[in-house]
Amino acid sequence: MKSLIIIGIILIIVGAIGLIYGGITYTTNKDAIDFGGIEFQINERERIDMPPILGGIAMAVGVGLVFIGRKGKSRE
């Protein structure tokens, strides 16, 4: 049941990020030029858009999984 709690917490965090920021932004590094000892890199910011309804659903499912995980843990 511990895995349900961990997955639930991850879903709550991802859902909260989706609701607060409207998505997840990350940076990728790409080598543009490699000339001898000189190397140039390009940092590109990419974004995964998340509609607010998906963030809310992820949080609700996460809370449900944490609740189920705790309830099953108390029976043992």
Side-chain angles (χ1 to χ4, degrees), residues 3-14:
S3 61
L4 285 179
I5 295 172
I6 293 171
I7 293 170
I9 291 171
I10 291 170
L11 281 174
I12 291 170
I13 291 169
V14 169

Side-chain angles (χ1 to χ4, degrees), residues 4-34:
L4 285 179
I5 295 172
I6 293 171
I7 293 170
I9 291 171
I10 291 170
L11 281 174
I12 291 170
I13 291 169
V14 169
I17 289 171
L19 284 175
I20 294 170
Y21 295 110
I24 299 171
T25 303
Y26 61 95
T27 304
T28 59
N29 297 325
K30 295 185 179 181
D31 292 332
I33 299 174
D34 187 6

Side-chain angles (χ1 to χ4, degrees), residues 33-40:
I33 299 174
D34 187 6
F35 186 72
I38 300 173
E39 183 177 307
F40 293 100

